[in-house]
């Protein structure tokens, strides 16, 4: 058996390794944000990381730093699902670097992850009202440079997202970069943080677990 294994074509061996890598983990859950103290912990652009933080605490995650990925990772169990949580330690718009390294380290592709479960990206969304959230599978990145970075790493938009609404600045409809940049990097008030936790981040924990279990009747979120 050893001789047969060693004599397999390299492509076959790599395929076996990739299959084992993805068999052990059903879903990869990535939070988008700017690691603090580079940015304020409660800036709107960090809502994805805030959500990941709440999920990790609920699942008693133990973080380990990956020097190759420049990210903290944690393998956790959520019901019958096994998740790999990824906390990038790179700027928001460079998150794709961590994803690319993850795929290289696991010797896997987006298609293989889709077969075993999927990739779920937690992120803030200008086009959803504040204190709302919803799941989305694939589709446009909507001008979000963090999502574009992830999409480029995969070579595809076919990954799952949890969109956490931050609304738009001004009258709620502004697309002016001069208003949007300071808005997304701006810190929310302490009162809004408490409201965000109560109305969005805490309820989303069970929704994420249900979503990863593919229990479609269970992952209702505050839309």
């Amino acid at each position: 058996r050893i001789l047969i294994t060693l004599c397999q074509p390299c492509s076959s061996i790599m395929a076996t390794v990739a299959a084992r890598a993805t068999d052990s983990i059903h879903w990869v859950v990535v939070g988008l944000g700017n690691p603090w103290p580079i940015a304020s912990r409660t800036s709107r652009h960090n809502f994805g990381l805030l959500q990941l933080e709440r999920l990790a605490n609920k699942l008693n995650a133990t973080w380990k730093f990956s020097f190759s990925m420049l990210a903290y990772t944690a393998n956790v169990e959520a019901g019958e699902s096994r998740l790999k949580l990824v906390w990038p330690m790179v700027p928001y718009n460079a998150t794709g670097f961590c994803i690319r390294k993850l795929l290289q380290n696991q010797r896997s592709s987006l298609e293989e992850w889709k077969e075993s479960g999927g990739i779920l990206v937690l992120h803030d969304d200008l086009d959803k009202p504040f204190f709302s959230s919803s799941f989305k599978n694939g589709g446009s990145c909507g001008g979000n440079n963090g999502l574009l970075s992830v999409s480029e790493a995969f070579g595809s938009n076919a990954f799952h997202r949890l969109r956490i609404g931050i609304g738009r600045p001004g009258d709620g409809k502004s697309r002016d970069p001069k208003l949007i940049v300071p808005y997304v990097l701006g810190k929310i008030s302490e009162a809004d943080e408490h409201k965000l936790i109560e109305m969005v981040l805490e309820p989303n924990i069970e929704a994420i677990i249900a979503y990863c279990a593919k229990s479609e009747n269970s992952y209702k979120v505050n839309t």
Side-chain angles (χ1 to χ4, degrees), residues 207 210-211 213-221:
Y211 189 85
K214 297 183 179 177
S215 176
E216 297 186 1
N217 294 325
S218 302
Y219 56 79
K220 303 284 186 184
V221 294

Side-chain angles (χ1 to χ4, degrees), residues 12-88:
S12 174
I13 295 173
M14 295 298 285
T16 302
V17 172
R20 288 174 181 169
T22 53
D23 279 348
S24 60
I25 297 292
H26 296 148
W27 284 80
V28 174
V29 182
V30 185
L32 286 194
N34 289 305
W36 42 87
I38 293 176
S40 171
R41 179 178 176 276
T42 55
S43 71
R44 294 173 181 84
H45 239 6
N46 275 345
F47 282 12
L49 285 182
L50 291 178
Q51 182 66 77
L52 184 67
E53 181 180 45
R54 307 297 294 194
L55 177 66
N57 289 343
K58 177 72 172 182
L59 298 177
N60 298 313
T62 300
W63 295 101
K64 294 182 180 179
F65 187 71
S66 167
F67 286 94
S68 63
M69 288 175 58
L70 295 182
Y72 284 96
T73 66
N75 293 344
V76 296
E77 292 189 1
E80 296 183 0
S81 300
R82 292 186 294 275
L83 317 180
K84 178 181 284 294
L85 310 182
V86 179
W87 186 305

Side-chain angles (χ1 to χ4, degrees), residues 68-127:
S68 63
M69 288 175 58
L70 295 182
Y72 284 96
T73 66
N75 293 344
V76 296
E77 292 189 1
E80 296 183 0
S81 300
R82 292 186 294 275
L83 317 180
K84 178 181 284 294
L85 310 182
V86 179
W87 186 305
M89 293 300 290
V90 298
Y92 190 101
N93 295 344
T95 305
F97 170 85
C98 303
I99 300 301
R100 189 175 293 108
K101 287 297 182 180
L102 172 67
L103 296 178
Q104 291 173 356
N105 292 349
Q106 301 281 165
R107 293 181 176 148
S108 58
S109 68
L110 176 60
E111 292 304 315
E112 288 162 338
W113 280 114
K114 285 165 66 178
E115 289 177 7
S116 65
I119 307 280
L120 176 62
V121 179
L122 317 175
H123 68 93
D124 56 294
D125 196 304
L126 283 161
D127 292 320

Side-chain angles (χ1 to χ4, degrees), residues 151-162:
S151 176
E152 288 171 0
F154 284 139
S156 167
N157 286 343
F159 54 90
H160 301 258
R161 308 101 188 264
L162 175 58

